[in-house]
Amino acid sequence: MQKNKTEILIQKYLSHQLNEQEFEELKQWIEKDASHREIFVKLLSLHHVNNQLNLLHQFDKEGSWKSLQNRCNQSGSIYRRIVVYSSAAAIAILIGITSILYFNDRNLAPVIAQSEQSQQSPLSQNPETPKATWVQANQSVVPLYNSQREINGSRINNGEITFPQESNYPHKPELDTELLQNKIIVPKGSEYAIVLADGTKVKMNADSHIDFPVQFGDTREITLEGEAMFEVTHDAARPFIIKAHDHAIYVLGTTFNISAYPDEELSVTLIEGKLKVTAPSGEYYLLPGEHYSSAQSKVSKVDTEFYTSWTDGAMEFDAMPFPLLTARLSRCYNVDIQIASKELETMKFTGIIFRNKPLDFALDIIHRVSDVKFERKGETIFVKKQ
């Protein structure tokens, strides 16, 4: 295989664009030589840990391979990022290609196993099952399906509800409409999108709910439990405020992600614009590319795609504790997963799960690369040590 062809295959691998034939070619190259495996492992780390995919987009015809190898051989820090985890495994599940890469501090060579898709994907719901529920201000409950319909001026179509826009009501809303609250509830195994009265777009993740007024007044205040991505309509005269846990996030016009599930840390990731997070520990200001974590009570620079990839159908995780990973799988696939062996709670995993794959696909991969097995009893899946 020519060097430039290998570079293209690695680039396509990291951007999830390999077809089956190309995957086999890359697999043969990886298995041909130990140095190939080391290069591939380090590039995978660069992509997932350091957001340096642009390295692969800047190859020239003559110097690219040398640049690639030099970059991979720089310092031991990249190597240490791969093996520093206290976990037993690191996994990466690729879209459209049933493959697995497994690394630990005793074996740096990727082990590639195959699995077959068996069940329907988590987001392919029964059409008779609502994707979300709308609790109206008068407490009447409206199930929200994919089908197109209109209710009291709110348009429902293909997994999104658009509320009557303020442009249709140029007068200042009456007090009662500011106090009356709507609620959108998204169950496990689903996602749903909303366009609020001011034009703000909200994409809600599984097992989330949001409360907001029928019409906004002098301020735009909502409450979130769960996870959502926001594209807030700019309105300097009316701040946009999101209440989540014991925090308040103040916005003027921006794009950002908030994760605020019960019993988990609150995290805020800013894509563009500006944010102020008011927490019990103080006030924190975010610029684009920054992330706030309530667990550390600090702001840090991050790869924002890591926190927003769920909106594109992926779930990324980096040294994630196994209990947190199983909790996210439970929400994504609408199942009850219980860890039955205490010692498994210290495991940590790194990788990507693509949500158009069935649950059995993800569980089979985890089983193959770690000392765990899954047993289904009734509606519950128990995780045990092998």
Side-chain angles (χ1 to χ4, degrees):
M1 187 187 304
Q2 296 180 347
K3 292 177 180 178
N4 62 342
K5 177 65 178 297
T6 304
E7 296 160 10
I8 293 171
L9 291 178
I10 294 175
Q11 178 181 348
K12 293 179 73 173
Y13 176 96
L14 294 176
S15 58
H16 317 138
Q17 295 175 354
L18 277 181
N19 59 37
E20 296 288 349
Q21 180 180 348
E22 291 169 332
F23 173 68
E24 286 301 321
E25 292 182 49
L26 180 59
K27 176 183 174 182
Q28 292 174 13
W29 178 83
I30 292 171
E31 294 175 343
K32 184 177 180 180
D33 189 277
S35 65
H36 295 176
R37 293 196 296 269
E38 186 174 352
I39 289 172
F40 184 75
V41 169
K42 290 179 179 180
L43 281 173
L44 185 67
S45 178
L46 281 171
H47 175 61
H48 289 298
V49 181
N50 294 314
N51 190 28
Q52 295 185 12
L53 181 58
N54 60 343
L55 169 69
L56 297 173
H57 292 295
Q58 297 171 356
F59 288 137
D60 59 63
K61 291 183 179 179
E62 297 181 0
S64 61
W65 188 253
K66 183 177 179 180
S67 172
L68 176 89
Q69 291 181 309
N70 288 341
R71 189 61 174 269
C72 289
N73 290 328
Q74 286 177 1
S75 77
S77 62
I78 298 171
Y79 172 87
R80 286 193 294 272
R81 286 191 186 102
I82 301 168
V83 301
V84 73
Y85 306 128
S86 61
S87 62
I91 67 174
I93 303 173
L94 305 182
I95 186 168
I97 301 172
T98 54
S99 62
I100 179 68
L101 301 170
Y102 169 50
F103 314 99
N104 61 26
D105 56 2
R106 295 176 299 279
N107 177 19
L108 287 177
V111 177
I112 302 180
Q114 293 188 345
S115 174
E116 292 186 0
Q117 188 167 331
S118 59
Q119 298 177 355
Q120 71 178 65
S121 67
L123 300 182
S124 300
Q125 290 188 320
N126 187 321
E128 297 182 358
T129 302
K131 293 176 67 70
T133 300
W134 172 19
V135 182
Q136 297 180 304
N138 62 5
Q139 298 306 302
S140 60
V141 177
V142 179
L144 300 174
Y145 301 90
N146 274 327
S147 56
Q148 185 173 351
R149 61 190 296 205
E150 185 169 322
I151 301 177
N152 297 331
S154 297
R155 299 190 307 277
I156 302 166
N157 184 35
N158 194 28
E160 179 178 273
I161 181 170
T162 301
F163 289 90
Q165 299 298 286
E166 292 175 339
S167 58
N168 297 327
Y169 301 93
H171 61 280
K172 178 178 170 57
E174 299 296 329
L175 181 61
D176 59 349
T177 60
E178 296 179 35
L179 297 178
L180 293 175
Q181 294 285 305
N182 284 309
K183 180 193 292 284
I184 299 292
I185 303 170
V186 181
K188 290 181 178 181
S190 187
E191 294 176 357
Y192 205 76
I194 311 169
V195 180
L196 300 175
D198 67 334
T200 291
K201 298 178 180 179
V202 186
K203 183 169 184 179
M204 300 176 63
N205 206 347
D207 196 20
S208 303
H209 70 254
I210 185 173
D211 295 82
F212 53 96
V214 172
Q215 291 187 51
F216 291 117
D218 294 332
T219 61
R220 298 173 290 167
E221 184 173 314
I222 69 171
T223 302
L224 168 70
E225 182 175 294
E227 185 168 26
M229 179 78 139
F230 292 83
E231 293 183 23
V232 176
T233 299
H234 179 73
D235 187 343
R238 297 187 301 169
F240 196 98
I241 305 169
I242 302 169
K243 299 291 185 66
H245 287 356
D246 51 359
H247 290 59
I249 296 91
Y250 292 83
V251 190
L252 286 178
T254 190
T255 303
F256 56 97
N257 189 82
I258 299 178
S259 181
Y261 286 106
D263 303 321
E264 293 184 15
E265 68 169 317
L266 179 139
S267 74
V268 183
T269 307
L270 181 59
I271 313 303
E272 59 183 54
K274 292 183 179 180
L275 288 178
K276 180 180 77 170
V277 178
T278 300
S281 56
E283 292 185 346
Y284 304 85
Y285 293 86
L286 275 68
L287 296 176
E290 292 185 335
H291 171 80
Y292 165 81
S293 166
S294 64
Q296 289 82 35
S297 294
K298 69 175 185 180
V299 175
S300 56
K301 292 287 289 185
V302 296
D303 172 7
T304 57
E305 290 185 6
F306 183 85
Y307 296 93
T308 63
S309 60
W310 69 268
T311 62
D312 294 320
M315 180 173 68
E316 295 196 39
F317 39 96
D318 182 11
M320 180 177 288
F322 198 34
L324 184 54
L325 176 57
T326 56
R328 295 201 175 185
L329 288 172
S330 295
R331 285 195 293 265
C332 176
Y333 290 92
N334 189 21
V335 295
D336 180 22
I337 303 177
Q338 299 290 333
I339 299 177
S341 300
K342 197 75 174 176
E343 56 208 292
L344 298 181
E345 295 182 359
T346 60
M347 297 176 64
K348 295 182 180 180
F349 287 84
T350 293
I352 309 174
I353 290 176
F354 290 87
R355 297 175 67 174
N356 67 338
K357 294 294 184 182
L359 175 62
D360 283 355
F361 178 86
L363 297 186
D364 181 63
I365 294 298
I366 296 173
H367 163 71
R368 288 169 182 260
V369 302
S370 61
D371 298 326
V372 305
K373 62 180 180 179
F374 299 90
E375 294 182 2
R376 187 185 297 270
K377 294 182 179 180
E379 299 299 316
T380 303
I381 297 174
F382 292 93
V383 191
K384 300 179 179 179
K385 189 173 178 63
Q386 277 193 146

